[in-house]
Amino acid sequence: MKINYRFTFAWTEIRGSQLSALGLKVEPPDEPRPQTGGIGVGHVVEGAPGWSEACSLVRSWDGWATVTTEFTPSEVKAASHCALVVVHASGYPQPERDFSFREVTYDLSRRCSKCGEGAVKAAPFRVKKSLKWGRNAFLKLNWIEEACFMQTSVWNGHLSGLGVGVLPVEDPKGHRLDDIVQLGLGPAVPLSMDGARGISCEKCGRELYPWHDRGFFPSPIGPPDVPLFHSVQRFGVPHQAANAMIVSAEVVRAIKAAGLRGVELWPCVPPE
């Protein structure tokens, strides 16, 4: 695996030259701004020559770093389970004005006003038919991290035979759609967090874990013999968190064999 760093920083020619000299791939702003110079971008792999120095430099410039993990095909193939991370987003849950989809889709009686946790899905998501799929088989809605959608024909062709269940999806008027389904999350299973602790809400006490962005995904404890399940733990930030979706090796093979797009597959920690 490779841990990739993407730095963003206030651009100057000198800073760009400093990072280039350390071996980074550097991207200047498309349109430099007269006053600020715009935002530059640098890329480097963790552990590469110049990586540590680049981290220190960007930090001294009050820049930002985004970390992602790139797995080898063999690491994905060898995994008994993978986290299914939806990366293609289009559209919004309906009705979107004033976030009123919440009242339509969720039971909000136990929802915390501070962190947004505690809402329970009680009705199908409503979406517009104008969702943009492109060449993607999987899709999530903006504002919603906890739901994965597929076109019914793609689900039927590749995942339904493996036992991956689905939930209905409706149009904005509440009519069931035949061509879109939401993947069912399956049972809740705890993950081995290796001592990591979540951040508790000061009001309700519910815990949230940061988004997972480096290394193998936490492994499920006593995983059930089902194609898809979800974590007990919640990941994200207040008002934008979700349970992790975990799929079996059989589902991973089906996704890979068909070249289905729109998700990343994060191998769980291999058993010892």
Side-chain angles (χ1 to χ4, degrees):
M1 88 180 73
K2 292 193 298 186
I3 309 296
N4 297 317
Y5 280 66
R6 180 180 186 271
F7 298 116
T8 54
F9 55 95
W11 174 262
T12 67
E13 292 287 348
I14 293 176
R15 289 177 175 180
S17 297
Q18 286 178 288
L19 293 182
S20 293
L22 291 172
L24 273 70
K25 176 184 176 182
V26 178
E27 302 172 8
D30 291 334
E31 297 181 5
R33 301 172 186 173
Q35 299 299 323
T36 63
I39 300 298
V41 177
H43 302 271
V44 68
V45 176
E46 183 175 288
W51 163 70
S52 179
E53 293 88 343
C55 289
S56 298
L57 277 176
V58 173
R59 192 180 304 115
S60 71
W61 302 335
D62 294 326
W64 304 269
T66 303
V67 180
T68 58
T69 303
E70 181 181 343
F71 295 97
T72 65
S74 60
E75 287 171 331
V76 175
K77 183 178 180 180
S80 59
H81 292 89
C82 285
L84 187 77
V85 182
V86 186
V87 295
H88 175 64
S90 175
Y92 296 85
Q94 300 299 309
E96 63 188 87
R97 183 168 181 173
D98 298 325
F99 300 102
S100 53
F101 72 89
R102 292 172 179 162
E103 286 75 17
V104 173
T105 312
Y106 293 93
D107 173 357
L108 302 176
S109 59
R110 299 188 61 207
R111 179 178 182 271
C112 176
S113 59
K114 184 175 181 64
C115 69
E117 290 293 286
V120 177
K121 186 173 179 288
F125 279 105
R126 296 184 178 185
V127 301
K128 293 181 179 179
K129 294 183 179 181
S130 57
L131 295 177
K132 293 179 172 57
W133 293 86
R135 299 173 65 186
N136 296 286
F138 300 90
L139 177 147
K140 66 179 178 179
L141 300 172
N142 292 294
W143 302 339
I144 302 294
E145 295 292 335
E146 61 198 5
C148 175
F149 300 88
M150 296 188 75
Q151 293 172 311
T152 306
S153 59
V154 181
W155 166 74
N156 268 324
H158 302 286
L159 298 187
S160 64
L162 303 180
V164 176
V166 293
L167 302 171
V169 180
E170 297 177 345
D171 69 12
K173 293 184 178 180
H175 302 133
R176 183 167 179 169
L177 295 171
D178 294 329
D179 57 343
I180 303 174
V181 290
Q182 178 193 349
L183 296 189
L185 289 179
V189 177
L191 304 181
S192 176
M193 300 305 295
D194 195 25
R197 298 295 301 272
I199 299 174
S200 298
C201 174
E202 296 176 356
K203 182 174 182 179
C204 70
R206 295 183 177 96
E207 277 190 329
L208 289 179
Y209 289 82
W211 296 114
H212 188 82
D213 57 11
R214 58 182 298 122
F216 289 106
F217 203 81
S219 59
I221 300 173
D225 187 19
V226 296
L228 188 153
F229 53 90
H230 68 282
S231 66
V232 169
Q233 292 89 347
R234 300 270 290 174
F235 296 86
V237 295
H239 300 282
Q240 194 174 6
N243 304 92
M245 290 183 287
I246 312 293
V247 295
S248 67
E250 189 178 20
V251 174
V252 171
R253 286 194 294 269
I255 292 172
K256 287 292 188 181
L260 302 183
R261 300 184 178 189
V263 292
E264 292 179 352
L265 294 163
W266 287 62
C268 292
V269 175
E272 296 181 355

